Amino acid sequence: MSDAGASGPGASAAGGRVGFVGLGSMGSAMAGRLLEQGHEVVVWNRSPDAVADLVSRGAVEAASVGEALAVGTVFSMLSNESVVFDLFDDEALASAPDGALHVNMATVGAAAATRLRERHRAAGVAYVAAPVLGRPPAAASGALTVLAAGDPADVERARPVLEALGRRVWPIGDDPSQANVVKIGVNYLIIHALQALAESITLLEARDVDTGMFVELLGDSLFPGVVYSGYGGAIARGSYTPAGFTTELGFKDLMLALDAARASGVSFPSESALRGVFEKALDDGQAELDWASIAEVTRGRTRPVG
């Protein structure tokens, strides 16, 4: 490994200089939050627009993933596991300085997390999985929930930055895959909530009940929180743009849950129904709509009574 990185890997996580790779809506919000918190952030992204915006706010542009890694501590928020493998390949990891740490904040499969840990270990790079709960506005305000797993010493190195991004950091375990399984489990619960909302709201629509009132009732009684109120409101209005989380990404996370279940010897009775709903939504052109739009599959299957 290289000995590049003037600030040193330990100092990077503690509040000085950090690298950030992946500047989609979530990554840009996270990197912007770190800038606001006084970090020097070295950013890299495949498309230049997000980089230019952050540079205008004080970030430093990296010419490559390797240059971001040279900082010593790099955080990444990438769209899926194949992109993580492509960007953090053996060549890039070999260029990292001694003691380097990569904190992967993407939602990846449990098996992928294990392979990534082994790839990093072979290169002498510490690896922490830190997927998050929350949308870009929560990232921008430092209100994410962070699920962190890996060697406890490495999690502690990353903690100051993670605490700048989240309202709470949950230590999940020593194995990075554990954090990813928790995130997958949470998303699987949301998928069920979306489908349950779709079915309940469609039933009430068929009986001419005010579904806006129904969603308000849920939030005021049994189901307070952003899932039922936020997604329920979107379903009641039939409003799915702009997408906070797309149907395409939701289907990816559904498949991660099903893959994790099979690998763990767990059977999901609802698997075929949920998979069928997502596949129909994608076939209907809803890939870029918010994943709450899967409700339209249930609405479309509804037939008048009598």
Side-chain angles (χ1 to χ4, degrees):
M1 293 196 306
S2 164
D3 60 358
S7 61
S12 298
R17 201 165 181 252
V18 297
F20 206 103
V21 172
L23 302 175
S25 57
M26 280 294 289
S28 291
M30 289 176 172
R33 169 69 177 178
L34 295 180
L35 288 170
E36 291 176 358
Q37 294 297 297
H39 292 271
E40 182 182 359
V41 186
V42 179
V43 297
W44 184 90
N45 195 56
R46 285 185 292 186
S47 57
D49 290 348
V51 173
D53 176 65
L54 287 164
V55 168
S56 73
R57 297 165 61 187
V60 177
E61 182 176 3
S64 65
V65 172
E67 195 169 301
L69 269 167
V71 173
T73 301
V74 64
F75 293 76
S76 65
M77 187 58 164
L78 299 162
S79 58
N80 59 60
E81 59 194 45
S82 65
V83 179
V84 181
F85 280 108
D86 287 346
L87 296 182
F88 289 87
D89 59 12
D90 292 338
E91 182 179 355
L93 293 175
S95 72
D98 292 335
L101 168 65
H102 174 205
V103 181
N104 178 16
M105 307 189 79
T107 301
V108 305
T114 299
R115 295 198 308 273
L116 285 164
R117 179 192 61 186
E118 295 307 315
R119 173 183 282 188
H120 284 67
R121 181 178 291 169
V125 177
Y127 180 78
V128 167
V132 299
L133 309 180
R135 288 187 167 192
S141 63
L144 295 169
T145 296
V146 183
L147 316 171
D151 185 285
D154 297 328
V155 173
E156 286 307 304
R157 283 175 57 192
R159 181 178 287 275
V161 174
L162 298 178
E163 288 181 342
L165 295 170
R167 62 180 187 84
R168 182 167 179 178
V169 178
W170 290 79
I172 302 299
D174 296 350
D175 181 348
S177 70
Q178 293 173 305
N180 292 115
V181 170
V182 171
K183 174 63 187 294
I184 289 166
V186 169
N187 281 3
Y188 194 59
L189 280 171
I190 296 173
I191 287 169
H192 278 81
L194 295 177
Q195 184 57 28
L197 283 164
E199 294 176 17
S200 292
I201 288 172
T202 301
L203 171 63
L204 298 184
E205 286 174 340
R207 296 290 180 174
D208 294 323
V209 175
D210 181 348
T211 55
M213 174 276 298
F214 174 68
V215 172
E216 184 179 357
L217 180 156
L218 294 178
D220 189 53
S221 57
L222 298 179
F223 299 105
V226 297
V227 171
Y228 283 88
S229 60
Y231 291 124
I235 292 169
R237 296 188 305 271
S239 175
Y240 308 116
T241 57
F245 193 74
T246 67
T247 304
E248 184 176 39
L249 290 175
F251 182 66
K252 179 209 73 173
D253 284 358
L254 172 62
M255 297 309 298
L256 290 179
L258 300 183
D259 289 345
R262 280 190 283 272
S264 305
V266 174
S267 176
F268 285 165
S270 57
E271 172 180 346
S272 60
L274 292 172
R275 183 168 181 169
V277 166
F278 270 89
E279 289 175 342
K280 180 66 165 63
L282 294 173
D283 287 344
D284 288 347
Q286 296 170 213
E288 297 304 316
L289 298 180
D290 193 275
W291 60 339
S293 70
I294 65 167
E296 298 307 311
V297 174
T298 299
R299 278 192 172 116
R301 289 174 175 169
T302 300
R303 296 291 180 269
V305 177

